[in-house]
Amino acid sequence: MKKTVYTKAGQVGLVEVERPHIEAPDDVILRIVRTCVCGSDLWSYRNPDIEAGHQNSGHEAIGIVEEIGDAISTVKPGDFVIAPFTHGCGHCDACRAGYDGTCDCHEGGDNWSDGVQAEYMRFECANWSLVKIPGQPSDYTEAMLKSLLTLADVMPTGYHAARVAHVKRGDKVVVIGDGAVGQCAVIAAKMRGASQIVLMSRHEDRQQLALEFGATAVVAERGEEGIAKVREILGGGADAALECVGTAAAVDQALGVLHKGGRLGFVGVPHYNNHALGSTFAQNISVAGGAASVTTYDKQFLLKAVLDGDINPGRVFTHSYSLDEIDQAYKDMDERKTIKAMIVIN
């Protein structure tokens, strides 16, 4: 089968490898129908020290169940499923509390997929975490397949930012980050009843999409100027800030727009060594975040919201590519020619 690897900094390519096989009783082998490039994949793509042949960090897919392990009782061969980037067990304290993105039964990053930009994948700890989609891919339009694919990561991740920041009806919310996760955070804030949603963005195409998703204003400025502009628009500080980038500067921006007693939800994978919580003491800021509860949100309400047409997060996929075009998909993401790149595998 074909599988994506990093070939050098700023380049990916395809290699032929053996198809995965069942290794544990709770494994499932999936034939991937759609996958994509995530903004977080670009961190490794840009890494000057990346080694040739290193497995790609792709982690989002929808596909068809091909084989199941002996312990699998929730899906069967032929089922159409969402393959979340997380592998929650469904029965530990964390999963039962709705935090399956950081399942107690997994250590560190082994709760997360990688190597999914391929024709097949082995999905581990699958019995609870896979999410069944009614019917087959052929039953859906391409637009709907795009929205279903967002349920593997970016839509639940955007929702997670709003959930952990306790966004509620009437809140004034600021979203930092205009990529796919930031766009989905706008959708999530609207779903939870925010009265004002300000997106911090410098890119006109992303600003326009966010406004269509429910943002009420856009701020292009950064630093103190950006903070002042947000406060002017909101008539004071925000109730909640949703940080969807993963840099120290984005966290500083989020903290700066909040009023005292405000709430920060962060879901950008951190690419900073430390950000001392002591800096928030004088503001009484609440801070929460981490990996999204993909399976929980999909099963409880996000899949239904997509199927019912209540939300259309698939619009974040602004270009589609074949697997053979994977390097171009990365380049276009890196150069901001597309918000999110979908990979079509037939």
Side-chain angles (χ1 to χ4, degrees):
M1 72 167 194
K2 294 178 181 178
K3 181 175 183 175
T4 306
V5 296
Y6 297 105
T7 54
K8 63 180 182 180
Q11 186 179 79
V12 297
L14 296 177
V15 294
E16 285 284 342
V17 299
E18 183 182 352
R19 278 178 51 175
H21 56 274
I22 299 292
E23 298 180 21
D26 57 356
D27 282 351
V28 166
I29 305 303
L30 299 178
R31 176 174 61 83
I32 296 173
V33 173
R34 298 288 187 277
T35 184
C36 53
V37 182
C38 182
S40 63
D41 298 335
L42 298 179
W43 292 101
S44 295
Y45 176 77
R46 297 165 178 159
N47 181 2
D49 299 320
I50 195 75
E51 295 181 5
H54 187 78
Q55 178 159 284
N56 79 91
S57 59
H59 48 268
E60 305 154 89
I62 53 176
I64 302 296
V65 174
E66 292 271 305
E67 301 175 54
I68 61 174
D70 292 341
I72 299 297
S73 60
T74 54
V75 296
K76 64 184 185 302
D79 283 349
F80 184 28
V81 296
I82 299 163
F85 79 95
T86 55
H87 299 249
C89 70
H91 57 73
C92 70
D93 289 339
C95 285
R96 287 189 291 109
Y99 290 94
D100 56 88
T102 43
C103 173
D104 282 335
C105 293
H106 295 83
E107 295 294 329
D110 75 350
N111 190 35
W112 307 328
S113 293
D114 61 3
V116 174
Q117 292 157 1
E119 293 178 306
Y120 294 85
M121 70 175 292
R122 179 171 72 97
F123 193 94
E124 304 165 49
C125 304
N127 205 43
W128 181 80
S129 51
L130 285 176
V131 181
K132 287 178 63 172
I133 303 169
Q136 292 293 304
S138 58
D139 298 327
Y140 297 98
T141 65
E142 191 64 23
M144 182 60 79
L145 290 175
K146 289 178 178 179
S147 282
L148 292 170
L149 181 55
T150 68
L151 298 182
D153 180 354
V154 291
M155 186 61 234
T157 296
Y159 190 89
H160 194 62
R163 175 210 174 179
V164 298
H166 299 287
V167 173
K168 61 185 184 301
R169 186 162 302 282
D171 273 353
K172 296 179 288 186
V173 177
V174 178
V175 176
I176 294 92
D178 62 3
V181 173
Q183 300 288 340
C184 290
V186 170
I187 296 173
K190 183 178 180 182
M191 289 176 74
R192 293 177 67 95
S195 62
Q196 291 178 270
I197 306 169
V198 178
L199 177 74
M200 303 199 77
S201 167
R202 295 190 179 107
H203 304 93
E204 186 175 348
D205 58 335
R206 297 166 187 239
Q207 295 171 358
Q208 183 57 45
L209 182 59
L211 290 169
E212 293 170 12
F213 278 150
T216 56
V218 172
V219 170
E221 294 83 356
R222 289 293 182 269
E224 293 303 320
E225 185 181 3
I227 291 169
K229 185 71 175 290
V230 168
R231 288 176 170 271
E232 178 186 348
I233 291 170
L234 297 180
D239 299 302
L242 313 183
E243 190 278 306
C244 304
V245 180
T247 63
V251 174
D252 288 338
Q253 199 82 106
L255 292 172
V257 300
L258 291 169
H259 62 65
K260 291 179 180 178
R263 307 173 308 269
L264 167 62
F266 69 98
V267 293
V269 179
H271 286 79
Y272 45 89
N273 292 326
N274 185 45
H275 200 289
L277 285 176
S279 63
T280 69
F281 186 81
Q283 293 175 271
N284 264 306
I285 297 297
S286 299
V287 179
S293 307
V294 178
T295 301
T296 294
Y297 300 151
D298 285 353
K299 287 183 175 181
Q300 289 186 352
F301 51 86
L302 285 182
L303 176 57
K304 185 178 188 302
V306 164
L307 293 177
D308 288 351
D310 295 336
I311 58 173
N312 184 16
R315 294 182 64 198
V316 300
F317 288 108
T318 49
H319 289 83
S320 295
Y321 307 79
S322 69
L323 188 57
D324 290 336
E325 298 171 316
I326 188 69
D327 187 53
Q328 190 63 51
Y330 268 82
K331 282 182 168 56
D332 289 351
M333 284 272 292
D334 189 41
E335 295 173 4
R336 292 184 176 270
K337 293 179 180 178
T338 182
I339 298 176
K340 192 166 177 67
M342 169 179 269
I343 309 301
V344 177
I345 304 176
N346 295 315

